[in-house]
């Protein structure tokens, strides 16, 4: 079994293995004017395929890049050439560290071996490792997707009271309401009782995950026990996955994703909202 994080050295040695699938899961906020697909076609790790977070989503949900049905996800992976039993390595070249989202999605729908390339494309390129352009050819595959609903929590359950801590991965100013949400029609602030742990605190400057001791310290600073169950939330269900990965690295798989996150909660006039820092 692969480790949750794999190094650039490890991946360079494994490239070309018939059971290895490398996926570029980059996604960028619209305001950046960056096209992840175009950047992938111009430069990617040899043999990689593009995992399109926006396309592989529920477009009828009313909120950004929500988890798709198992049927849609399985068909998308099959078309991409990805099988359940492949050794899958995901990476990104995004400030949002979107490979964590792909890692969650693949595991959620039944992939058995999924790892994140620690440091992503940025570290790979800085080290002078090979890249290529273009799009990959056909690869025969079958992905039988089965969702694991216990990994996800919905707004109605949160409103009833889930009994576990909500940890918000947005930046401090968006969490407090000092900074408006980048999406129109969404109120400022956060869920009552939520703690704030920005996803960026999980990474070093080079994009690699911090050490276990550093991760524990970051959770402790936010007054969150990373060994206990919690709900991860963010702006639209992307960066929250970094907190889920971090907890997994510390041995905790009793976490749940609020997929609608603040895009859903903040747009509903009936949900309670508070502003200011966490208590």
């Amino acid at each position: 079994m692969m480790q949750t994080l794999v190094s650039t050295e490890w991946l360079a040695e494994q490239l070309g293995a018939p059971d290895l699938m490398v996926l570029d899961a980059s996604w960028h906020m619209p305001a950046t004017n960056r096209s992840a697909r175009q950047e992938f076609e111009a430069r990617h790790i040899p043999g990689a395929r593009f995992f399109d977070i926006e396309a592989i989503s529920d477009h009828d949900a009313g909120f950004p890049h929500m988890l798709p049905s198992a049927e849609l996800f399985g068909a998308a992976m099959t078309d991409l050439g990805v099988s359940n039993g492949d050794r899958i390595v995901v990476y990104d070249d995004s400030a949002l560290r979107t490979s964590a989202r792909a890692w969650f999605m693949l595991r959620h729908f039944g992939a058995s071996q999924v790892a994140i390339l620690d440091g992503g494309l940025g570290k790979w390129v800085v080290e002078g490792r090979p890249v290529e352009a273009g799009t990959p050819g056909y690869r025969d595959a079958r992905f039988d997707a089965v969702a694991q609903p216990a990994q996800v929590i919905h707004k109605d359950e949160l409103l009833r009271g889930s009994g576990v801590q909500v940890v918000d991965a947005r930046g401090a100013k968006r969490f407090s309401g000092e900074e408006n949400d980048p999406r129109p029609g969404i109120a400022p602030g956060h869920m009552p009782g939520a703690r704030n742990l920005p996803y960026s605190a999980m990474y070093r400057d080079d994009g690699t995950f911090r050490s276990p001791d550093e991760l524990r310290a970051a959770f402790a600073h936010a007054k969150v026990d990373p060994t206990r169950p919690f709900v991860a939330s963010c702006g639209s269900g992307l960066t929250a996955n970094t907190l889920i990965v971090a907890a997994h690295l510390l041995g905790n798989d009793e976490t749940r994703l609020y997929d609608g996150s603040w895009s859903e909660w903040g747009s509903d006039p009936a949900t309670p909202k508070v502003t200011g820092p966490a208590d």
Side-chain angles (χ1 to χ4, degrees), residues 40-86:
F40 167 82
E41 292 174 357
R43 184 182 68 172
H44 56 260
I45 293 174
R49 292 162 188 262
F50 185 63
F51 184 101
D52 192 332
I53 285 174
E54 193 62 47
I56 310 169
S57 66
D58 182 354
H59 295 158
D60 296 323
F63 303 103
H65 32 252
M66 295 285 284
L67 288 169
S69 66
E71 181 181 12
L72 189 155
F73 188 85
M77 291 301 98
T78 298
D79 290 345
L80 196 57
V82 181
S83 296
N84 302 68
D86 286 333

Side-chain angles (χ1 to χ4, degrees), residues 167-170 195-202 215 218-219 222 224 243:
V167 188
D168 192 321
R170 293 177 297 160
R195 309 303 307 179
N196 185 213
L197 179 53
Y199 76 94
S200 57
M202 303 291 99
L215 294 176
F219 275 99
V224 176
L243 302 186

Side-chain angles (χ1 to χ4, degrees), residues 10-226:
W10 182 93
L11 183 57
E13 293 173 356
Q14 295 291 318
L15 281 184
D19 67 333
L20 181 72
M21 175 56 64
V22 182
L23 300 176
D24 183 328
S26 300
W27 185 85
H28 310 290
M29 289 291 286
T32 65
N33 292 317
R34 293 177 63 183
S35 168
R37 182 177 289 277
Q38 289 179 4
E39 291 181 8
F40 167 82
E41 292 174 357
R43 184 182 68 172
H44 56 260
I45 293 174
R49 292 162 188 262
F50 185 63
F51 184 101
D52 192 332
I53 285 174
E54 193 62 47
I56 310 169
S57 66
D58 182 354
H59 295 158
D60 296 323
F63 303 103
H65 32 252
M66 295 285 284
L67 288 169
S69 66
E71 181 181 12
L72 189 155
F73 188 85
M77 291 301 98
T78 298
D79 290 345
L80 196 57
V82 181
S83 296
N84 302 68
D86 286 333
R87 294 184 299 155
I88 304 170
V89 176
V90 293
Y91 73 87
D92 67 71
D93 188 30
S94 169
L96 302 175
R97 312 301 181 195
T98 46
S99 53
R101 172 68 174 191
W103 177 90
F104 178 88
M105 292 176 70
L106 286 156
R107 285 165 51 90
H108 177 71
F109 287 110
S112 57
Q113 297 190 77
V114 189
I116 293 172
L117 177 62
D118 205 17
L121 183 64
K123 190 170 189 292
W124 181 272
V125 170
V126 164
E127 294 171 350
R129 301 189 186 276
V131 294
E132 65 181 11
T135 57
Y138 173 79
R139 181 180 187 252
D140 187 45
R142 177 174 174 175
F143 196 107
D144 297 312
V146 179
Q148 301 181 60
Q151 296 178 342
V152 180
I153 193 167
H154 301 283
K155 182 179 70 174
D156 56 351
E157 185 175 351
L158 287 166
L159 284 169
R160 291 195 304 268
S162 66
V164 297
Q165 183 72 66
V166 174
V167 188
D168 192 321
R170 293 177 297 160
K173 289 186 177 181
R174 281 181 62 192
F175 177 86
S176 69
E178 181 181 349
E179 184 178 283
N180 288 330
D181 194 278
R183 299 176 178 87
I186 299 178
H190 57 269
M191 298 167 62
R195 309 303 307 179
N196 185 213
L197 179 53
Y199 76 94
S200 57
M202 303 291 99
Y203 298 96
R204 302 185 182 96
D205 290 343
D206 65 355
T208 58
F209 270 87
R210 295 190 179 279
S211 70
D213 285 346
E214 290 171 325
L215 294 176
R216 291 187 192 96
F219 275 99
H221 182 73
K223 298 181 181 178
V224 176
D225 184 346

